[in-house]
Amino acid sequence: MKTAFITGITGQDGAYLAKFLLEKGYRVIGLVPRRSTSNLWRLEYLQIADDVEWKEGDLLDLSSLTRAIKAAKPDEVYNLAAQSFVGSSWEQPILTAQVTGMGVLHVLEAIRETDPGIRMYQASSSELYGLIQEPQQSEKTPFYPRSPYAVSKLFGYWMTKNYRESFHMYTCNGILFNHESPLRGPEFVTRKVTQAVARIATQKQKELRLGNIHAKRDWGFAGDFVEAMWLMLQQQKPEDYVIATGKTTTVEEMCKVAFDYVGLNYLDYLVIDPDLYRPAEVDVLLGNPAKAKRELGWSPKTTWEELIHMMVEADLQRMGK
Ligand code: NDP
Ligand code: GDR
């Protein structure tokens, strides 16, 4: 039986990945930082909260992280923990740099100290591309990060690559484009929209306030994307991979599809709020997942329209409808 150690296990991807690995027969151990209230709702939603083991620790505290990894003796480490909301990274840039950037180095050091043979996945991001240099972004496209979050992820990306080249460690960057699900945090735009649609349809909310609705994103389903994380750690040699759907859509179009699902016209509810515009925007992202398809045999199964319908449906269920 293989053992996987997941940081960020209480987040969206952590929950789906834990479920995926448990179904593969893995022993799954999660790093959980101390919080004043329990944060296990996603694992409970997927009915796996009792099937994972826990180690208390924080990405900012190298000693707790090293102790946890030494005790877990994992074959694979998935580093998903981060301050992951781009918007908050302008409000808390230093914390973001510490967790999302330096945190990666802590994980690499903890592995190097424990057993450099442990394989490691780093949750890199399409936000690295930022101000895009090419219309469709691949592993070869240059980076131009546009937020403290993206700059922090860039540090993590290069550290992951550097430890691979310096110490011959099996470390991979998954450059994942946006992926969503019913377990997405409500601050991200897809879930903000699907939750609003469900609340408006049940007369609990009157309007939906958004910022830049012209931004375009390549949206996939988190449940599909976690398989690619695992596949990256099962290869002969470690490499970096873009994981995306290869389709891009505006926030406005996504909004229309969500409202259409319940028979409402989004134009009757949408309010543009200039306060929700970001100091620097990533206007368009469109990934090229050809390498992942060719080398990992991975391709997405869910279209963005199916994803948005799934999310509205889940939010309607939560509203008791
Ligand atoms: P979430 O925000 O849902 O989850 C983040 C996780 O990190 C939570 O479990 C959180 O725990 C944990 N965490 C935060 N700070 C610390 C800390 N100091 N020590 C230990 N754990 C901590 O993110 P997602 O699941 O959506 O994303 C997973 C990873 O993938 C992130 O690194 C994200 O940046 C990256 N990514 C995500 C994409 C997406 O579209 N979802 C696309 C590309 C990359 P708690 O809630 O208790 O704070
Ligand atoms: P993103 O996701 O920044 O791409 O990062 P988010 O859903 O927050 O924003 C997507 C786009 O929508 C625009 N937008 C709004 N966004 C939010 N959150 N709220 C609004 O009201 C709103 N109005 C318009 C944004 O300006 C943006 O252009 C996500 C995170 O999961 C990162 O961790 C990950 O690395 C990237 O995806 C890939």
Side-chain angles (χ1 to χ4, degrees):
M1 186 196 265
K2 276 194 184 176
T3 300
F5 183 86
I6 305 177
T7 73
I9 194 166
T10 56
Q12 170 190 258
D13 291 8
Y16 279 106
L17 179 66
K19 185 172 165 58
F20 175 86
L21 294 173
L22 286 166
E23 283 168 0
K24 287 236 167 273
Y26 275 67
R27 176 179 177 216
V28 175
I29 303 176
L31 180 83
V32 183
R34 197 261 159 189
R35 299 285 188 252
S36 64
T37 49
S38 163
N39 197 11
L40 300 183
W41 67 273
R42 292 184 174 97
L43 298 161
E44 283 159 0
Y45 187 97
L46 297 178
Q47 298 180 327
I48 55 167
D50 294 335
D51 302 329
V52 300
E53 297 170 43
W54 313 107
K55 296 281 175 218
E56 185 177 324
D58 195 297
L59 225 60
L60 296 177
D61 179 359
L62 179 58
S63 60
S64 68
L65 185 62
T66 308
R67 247 195 318 278
I69 292 182
K70 275 192 196 300
K73 297 190 178 60
D75 301 284
E76 297 166 7
V77 170
Y78 295 85
N79 183 38
L80 308 183
Q83 190 304 92
S84 77
F85 185 44
V86 174
S88 289
S89 77
W90 282 281
E91 303 302 324
Q92 301 183 53
I94 295 170
L95 178 86
T96 303
Q98 286 169 338
V99 181
T100 308
M102 274 298 284
V104 183
L105 185 52
H106 287 172
V107 174
L108 287 162
E109 274 295 284
I111 292 175
R112 184 178 161 209
E113 175 72 25
T114 305
D115 170 7
I118 295 170
R119 297 185 170 203
M120 188 253 204
Y121 171 85
Q122 166 56 19
S124 285
S125 163
S126 53
E127 283 292 297
L128 296 174
Y129 298 116
L131 195 64
I132 60 154
Q133 315 287 304
E134 289 168 9
Q136 191 167 13
Q137 300 88 54
S138 73
E139 295 80 3
K140 297 198 168 77
T141 306
F143 299 134
Y144 192 135
R146 292 271 283 170
S147 62
Y149 167 83
V151 173
S152 308
K153 281 284 180 193
L154 188 70
F155 175 84
Y157 170 91
W158 282 112
M159 277 297 170
T160 301
K161 213 173 165 83
N162 182 263
Y163 269 52
R164 183 163 82 213
E165 293 171 1
S166 304
F167 303 118
H168 308 293
M169 286 165 56
Y170 191 114
T171 58
C172 300
N173 285 292
I175 308 172
L176 270 56
F177 283 61
N178 299 54
H179 46 280
E180 322 288 313
S181 73
L183 301 185
R184 189 58 144 151
E187 65 275 34
F188 299 94
V189 75
T190 51
R191 184 75 203 291
K192 183 174 175 183
V193 169
T194 63
Q195 201 172 49
V197 166
R199 290 179 64 83
I200 289 168
T202 51
Q203 284 84 46
K204 293 190 177 75
Q205 187 172 325
K206 290 199 164 52
E207 61 179 31
L208 167 62
R209 304 182 84 82
L210 292 178
N212 177 16
I213 58 169
H214 305 298
K216 295 176 95 174
R217 289 292 182 275
D218 179 332
W219 277 299
F221 172 46
D224 293 347
F225 279 37
V226 295
E227 182 190 14
M229 300 176 184
W230 173 75
L231 283 167
M232 281 179 222
L233 297 197
Q234 315 308 315
Q235 305 305 306
Q236 293 274 325
K237 60 184 175 65
E239 290 198 29
D240 304 324
Y241 293 91
V242 162
I243 303 298
T245 71
K247 301 242 167 18
T248 193
T249 319
T250 60
V251 170
E252 183 171 13
E253 181 65 16
M254 178 272 292
C255 224
K256 180 178 183 313
V257 164
F259 278 88
D260 281 355
Y261 186 73
V262 294
L264 297 174
N265 183 348
Y266 77 105
L267 292 170
D268 294 336
Y269 303 95
L270 182 60
V271 176
I272 301 300
D273 183 344
D275 285 347
L276 294 172
Y277 274 69
R278 292 178 174 173
E281 180 61 283
V282 174
D283 293 320
V284 47
L285 288 172
L286 171 62
N288 177 356
K291 181 180 174 189
K293 184 165 190 194
R294 195 173 59 243
E295 296 184 10
L296 303 179
W298 180 88
S299 45
K301 299 182 183 74
T302 314
T303 67
W304 73 266
E305 290 97 334
E306 288 167 346
L307 167 70
I308 296 303
H309 291 166
M310 180 202 309
M311 291 173 69
V312 175
E313 194 60 52
D315 278 322
L316 285 168
Q317 301 270 327
R318 287 175 172 122
M319 292 295 146
K321 203 174 182 193

